[in-house]
Amino acid sequence: MERNFTQYASTRARSTLGQQKTLDLKKARSLREIAWLASKIGAAILVFLVVLSLLASFRSYLLRSPKFAIGIKEIQGLRHLSESQVLLKLKEIEEQNRSLFALDLDGLRKSVELLPWVRTATVQRVWPDRLMIQVTERVPIAFARSDDSTQLV
């Protein structure tokens, strides 16, 4: 009986030790896989941050570069309105952003359309440094006399 017990105990101990080794190997392998995955995620985050900083510096270059500053201003369609009035509206918007990339075209269009003679305005960028403003003026339908002058209404 003792022999059976010792045989049983030794076989049982061997199988338990074998299972422990297998479990230890599995833990070590899973830890290596976790470390590998963490290094890959860290590298991906690092690449993402580098690309993000490059994009931010490129955007900054485009917004501040003198190559994209507004150089030529074309205003078309003026009859009763003076060009200086439209340029004054442009100057107000241009003070905020000097680059053609950052220029608020819709804000400029709305600002020009607030002038009394303007019915509609179209504002376009023409790369690399031209801004075109097309103005459609209102059509006068009557003359109005005030004290010493005559004006179109």
Side-chain angles (χ1 to χ4, degrees):
M1 174 96 123
E2 274 185 45
R3 194 169 233 259
N4 288 340
F5 177 72
T6 54
Q7 285 178 345
Y8 173 76
S10 65
T11 4
R12 183 77 173 147
R14 275 189 227 133
S15 63
T16 307
L17 287 175
Q19 288 176 354
Q20 284 179 345
K21 287 181 183 178
T22 308
L23 288 176
D24 289 341
L25 288 175
K26 286 181 182 178
K27 285 181 184 177
R29 188 179 309 145
S30 67
L31 288 176
R32 274 183 273 167
E33 290 173 356
I34 290 172
W36 180 80
L37 184 61
S39 68
K40 292 297 180 184
I41 290 172
I45 290 172
L46 182 65
V47 167
F48 174 75
L49 291 174
V50 167
V51 168
L52 190 65
S53 67
L54 286 174
L55 287 175
S57 63
F58 182 67
R59 179 184 179 272
S60 176
Y61 168 75
L62 289 177
L63 293 179
R64 289 181 175 77
S65 174
K67 292 179 183 179
F68 300 107
I70 301 170
I72 302 168
K73 302 163 188 150
E74 290 184 23
I75 302 171
Q76 301 171 350
L78 298 179
R79 293 182 72 200
H80 303 288
L81 190 64
S82 71
E83 188 172 313
S84 63
Q85 289 175 311
V86 177
L87 287 175
L88 186 64
K89 294 292 185 179
L90 174 61
K91 187 177 180 181
E92 292 172 4
I93 300 291
E94 195 179 19
E95 285 175 357
Q96 298 167 359
N97 298 309
R98 295 204 178 279
S99 174
L100 204 55
F101 277 104
L103 189 67
D104 180 17
L105 296 181
D106 193 46
L108 178 59
R109 179 189 57 81
K110 289 177 182 177
S111 177
V112 170
E113 285 180 347
L114 290 175
L115 293 170
W117 277 104
V118 178
R119 181 190 304 161
T120 60
T122 306
V123 181
Q124 295 177 324
R125 293 179 183 109
V126 181
W127 303 108
D129 64 345
R130 182 176 295 185
L131 182 70
M132 290 180 55
I133 302 173
Q134 177 67 41
V135 175
T136 305
E137 291 186 344
R138 299 181 193 278
V139 178
I141 56 172
F143 288 100
R145 270 187 202 224
S146 63
D147 298 330
D148 59 345
S149 67
T150 304
Q151 296 180 343
L152 293 172
V153 181

